[in-house]
Amino acid sequence: MKKYLHFILLFFVATSFAQNKQPKLVVGIVVDQMRMEYLQRFQSDFSENGFKRLMNDGYTFHNMHYNYMPTYTAPGHASVYTGTTPAIHGIVSNEWFHRTLKKEVYCTDDESVSTLVSGTEKEGKMSPRNLQATTITDELKLSTNFKGKVIGMSIKDRGAILPAGHFADWAFWYSKTGNFISSSFYGKTLPKWVEEFNNEKQYLPYLEKGWSLLKPIETYNESLVDNNPYEGKLYKKEPVFPYDLKQMYENNDAGVLRVTPFGNDVLANLAKRAIEKENLGKDDVTDFLAVSFSSTDYIGHTFGPRSIEIQDTYLRLDLTIADFLNYLDKTVGKGNYLVFLTADHACAENSTHLKDHKYEVDNISYKEVSKDLIAFSNETFGANLLLKYDSYNVHLDKEAIKAKGLDLTKVKQSFKDFLYTKNYVKRVYTEEEILASSGNDQLLSFVFKGYDPTQNGDLYFVYKPGFVEYSATGATHGSPYAYDTNVPCIFYGWNIPKGKSHDKKVITQIAPTLAQKLKITLPNGTNSEVLNEILEK
Ligand SMILES: [Zn+2]
């Protein structure tokens, strides 16, 4: 009998050890345009069970940064999941003028695939084919002989597709028809449960109810007043609460949901449905769910980081995350899942707001920069030698330069000299300077890590701190400065110690850390240190 008991005991020890060897589910959460400082500034208004639960019971890296430019959505998601930067993974922007193809490309465009939902022909021609490196989700697939499930989802196509990688079971993204869609890259037909989810039209009750503040307006004292001059309009409506979303929907389409906090709620509902219907986290093979909340970015662009609209969005997202964690506890079980939360970039201050307080910065128009460059070229060379100006990138028309018998190096130098006469320009680099970068020049190292000579321009320039290429209202991102690079990074759950660090970390450390934590192969492009703080001592 004693021997028998001993056997039972051993059996329990063995099975509990087996259960803890790997997490049943990894949930990657990217909050589009989330600044680290929001976690501090809005903290007194957060619940105990959302962001605070992650921070108090998990491990928070307060000084996590992007280490390249441009700090945009597609490169951000690609870099979190590949553990490398655009210079290697090839996603150099959201959309860009491609030097070799000599045309505009969009990060996840794929002419060879088609949508799985009728009425979304253009929105559905998407896949991860432009991504040149493997993701942590790809490596999980390889390491489990494709048994671990990988699903990506977001309101934005790029927020769903890039994290889910090349071997994903599915990626789902929101279309302006109100449906979550996918492409023939992933399967022949949309899973039945997604079709059923779409038939529920969850966006409708949210849009019919409208958007009013979650809490009394006087409690939003961490933000500027409602209807301040730095906010843009929402579908032509003045930036004042409450918002009649029903009218906007009737005059436009279900895309209105994106620019409201409720885009996050509908996405969280889809995430819960995926866990249930795809049996994520049910067996001992690790699954991976990559969720990217995009509404925070649309709202941030429209109203800026100091608006009560953005504060209200984060107070609501806090409750959404609390509910989602509670769901994971009930379905996958506390301690069986690992969550990480970060952002694809942060955002700048509104430049007019800064200028009104005597900091001499400005918002620059993309069109003006382009016009200036053409005028300069015509005046200097008697011809337009600019092939394309594309945010930071100056593409020269090499055929025209050759035809005129001009020296390319000299032409580059004169464009460079011209750009330095502009009050908004901090640095201008030529392709040769970028590729010869030693990493000692802080700004050049950011450019180097974001630059792909087969895709980017002949010259690349960096704005001065505080200057933005954007409208006078709202906010944007893209620069190599701290306001755009400092994002949250929290790990929580399975085998994660409690704690925090204020040491400087870079975004490409997340993927190799996950690989070591899961004891699987490293994503192929990564060359980063790991976050030792959350690995076993
Ligand atoms: Zn954005």
Side-chain angles (χ1 to χ4, degrees):
M1 184 64 192
K2 203 178 163 192
K3 214 174 172 183
Y4 182 60
L5 263 176
H6 190 72
F7 173 76
I8 292 175
L9 198 69
L10 251 178
F11 176 77
F12 277 113
V13 170
T15 48
S16 65
F17 179 70
Q19 269 175 4
N20 285 323
K21 221 174 157 187
Q22 292 289 59
K24 289 173 179 289
L25 179 66
V26 180
V27 182
I29 300 175
V30 175
V31 183
D32 206 313
Q33 205 189 104
M34 184 172 187
R35 291 172 152 199
M36 178 64 210
E37 65 103 8
Y38 291 152
L39 287 174
Q40 314 290 357
R41 178 149 59 103
F42 305 146
Q43 193 163 91
S44 61
D45 297 316
F46 286 147
S47 72
E48 290 305 313
N49 311 315
F51 290 120
K52 275 197 205 165
R53 175 176 168 190
L54 293 175
M55 289 180 85
N56 294 337
D57 298 339
Y59 199 100
T60 309
F61 293 94
H62 287 256
N63 205 12
M64 171 60 79
H65 288 265
Y66 276 82
N67 56 346
Y68 63 83
M69 73 176 288
T71 41
Y72 290 141
T73 294
H77 283 82
S79 302
V80 168
Y81 280 83
T82 60
T84 186
T85 66
I88 305 289
H89 63 58
I91 303 295
V92 296
S93 191
N94 290 334
E95 52 193 326
W96 61 96
F97 183 81
H98 191 295
R99 176 197 281 209
T100 312
L101 302 177
K102 288 197 171 65
K103 64 168 190 175
E104 293 283 338
V105 298
Y106 178 72
C107 56
T108 48
D109 261 348
D110 186 345
E111 279 302 312
S112 72
V113 299
S114 51
T115 185
L116 299 184
V117 179
S118 63
T120 64
E121 278 63 30
K122 190 164 188 305
E123 292 171 281
K125 287 181 87 62
M126 303 274 167
S127 86
R129 283 211 173 102
N130 294 327
L131 179 65
Q132 297 170 13
T134 62
T135 54
I136 181 65
T137 44
D138 284 332
E139 298 301 335
L140 180 72
K141 272 285 182 190
L142 286 170
S143 299
T144 60
N145 279 330
F146 294 83
K147 287 193 200 98
K149 275 194 183 172
V150 170
I151 295 178
M153 57 176 65
S154 175
I155 292 292
K156 291 183 182 174
D157 44 31
R158 54 192 184 270
I161 293 167
L162 298 168
H166 304 85
F167 308 137
D169 294 275
W170 284 105
F172 305 111
W173 55 98
Y174 187 76
S175 126
K176 58 179 188 284
T177 60
N179 293 311
F180 280 92
I181 67 172
S182 192
S183 82
S184 59
F185 179 84
Y186 301 98
K188 285 198 179 77
T189 53
L190 205 64
K192 204 156 180 278
W193 65 266
V194 181
E195 220 170 274
E196 282 164 8
F197 187 91
N198 285 339
N199 290 339
E200 290 169 20
K201 295 187 190 303
Q202 288 205 12
Y203 60 89
L204 254 186
Y206 285 111
L207 295 177
E208 277 167 357
K209 199 172 164 214
W211 181 11
S212 9
L213 289 168
L214 182 69
K215 297 189 175 188
I217 193 160
E218 60 276 11
T219 64
Y220 289 73
N221 48 14
E222 294 84 0
S223 301
L224 296 174
V225 294
D226 200 11
N227 199 12
N228 67 66
Y230 316 119
E231 297 178 285
K233 290 178 177 174
L234 185 62
Y235 287 91
K236 294 180 190 152
K237 189 211 171 281
E238 293 299 321
V240 189
F241 278 99
Y243 290 93
D244 182 350
L245 303 175
K246 189 168 184 256
Q247 206 187 2
M248 288 176 203
Y249 165 62
E250 283 164 359
N251 294 339
N252 299 280
D253 51 46
V256 171
L257 186 81
R258 294 170 171 144
V259 201
T260 76
F262 313 115
N264 297 333
D265 291 298
V266 175
L267 184 73
N269 290 342
L270 184 75
K272 291 192 279 186
R273 193 70 61 86
I275 291 168
E276 183 198 336
K277 299 292 183 182
E278 295 282 342
N279 292 311
L280 302 182
K282 295 280 155 62
D283 60 21
D284 285 335
V285 185
T286 306
D287 299 317
F288 204 122
L289 178 64
V291 183
S292 173
F293 292 108
S294 319
S295 292
T296 42
D297 181 69
Y298 290 108
I299 294 163
H301 277 297
T302 309
F303 303 103
R306 306 273 166 198
S307 63
I308 62 173
E309 280 81 354
I310 205 75
Q311 183 169 1
D312 193 65
T313 301
Y314 279 95
L315 300 192
R316 289 174 183 278
L317 180 59
D318 175 58
L319 299 180
T320 307
I321 285 175
D323 173 73
F324 187 55
L325 292 173
N326 187 35
Y327 182 84
L328 288 170
D329 290 344
K330 282 196 283 193
T331 53
V332 185
K334 258 189 188 169
N336 289 330
Y337 62 89
L338 189 164
V339 174
F340 70 92
L341 183 146
T342 188
D344 53 347
H345 52 75
C347 77
E349 296 293 331
N350 173 281
S351 57
T352 319
H353 182 210
L354 300 181
K355 198 159 56 175
D356 286 351
H357 289 272
K358 299 188 280 189
Y359 178 25
E360 279 301 317
V361 294
D362 213 344
N363 65 298
I364 309 299
S365 147
Y366 160 86
K367 278 189 187 149
E368 287 299 317
V369 177
S370 191
K371 260 207 269 177
D372 275 2
L373 287 167
I374 293 170
F376 161 75
S377 183
N378 283 327
E379 220 169 89
T380 314
F381 302 104
N384 177 20
L385 304 178
L386 182 78
L387 187 60
K388 178 85 184 172
Y389 169 63
D390 182 28
S391 289
Y392 317 117
N393 290 269
V394 178
H395 292 268
L396 296 176
D397 189 338
K398 280 165 212 128
E399 281 163 31
I401 291 168
K402 208 174 163 190
K404 283 189 86 67
L406 293 166
D407 179 72
L408 179 61
T409 311
K410 283 182 185 155
V411 174
K412 277 187 194 177
Q413 186 61 43
S414 57
F415 269 88
K416 190 175 170 179
D417 293 343
F418 170 72
L419 278 164
Y420 271 124
T421 65
K422 296 287 166 187
N423 75 326
Y424 52 80
V425 170
K426 182 74 195 168
R427 292 277 200 286
V428 190
Y429 302 111
T430 64
E431 174 188 358
E432 292 74 18
E433 286 167 329
I434 296 165
L435 296 179
S437 162
S438 66
N440 295 333
D441 174 336
Q442 182 195 325
L443 294 176
L444 182 51
S445 89
F446 273 72
V447 172
F448 175 76
K449 292 191 185 76
Y451 187 86
D452 179 346
T454 68
Q455 305 190 73
N456 286 102
D458 301 283
L459 294 164
Y460 199 102
F461 73 89
V462 185
Y463 288 101
K464 284 180 186 162
F467 282 80
V468 291
E469 195 175 85
Y470 204 62
S471 55
T473 58
T476 194
H477 47 87
S479 84
Y481 299 115
Y483 49 78
D484 280 338
T485 63
N486 186 204
V487 291
C489 179
I490 312 173
F491 286 81
Y492 169 88
W494 176 82
N495 264 351
I496 299 293
K498 282 187 196 185
K500 61 175 181 173
S501 163
H502 292 273
D503 293 344
K504 167 91 186 284
K505 305 289 176 188
V506 292
I507 203 73
T508 50
Q509 293 184 266
I510 292 177
T513 302
L514 284 168
Q516 305 255 298
K517 196 92 190 150
L518 300 174
K519 301 184 180 71
I520 63 175
T521 35
L522 292 163
N524 60 16
T526 194
N527 181 33
S528 281
E529 303 283 335
V530 292
L531 298 164
N532 263 317
E533 291 85 343
I534 59 160
L535 292 165
E536 291 88 338
K537 291 284 178 299

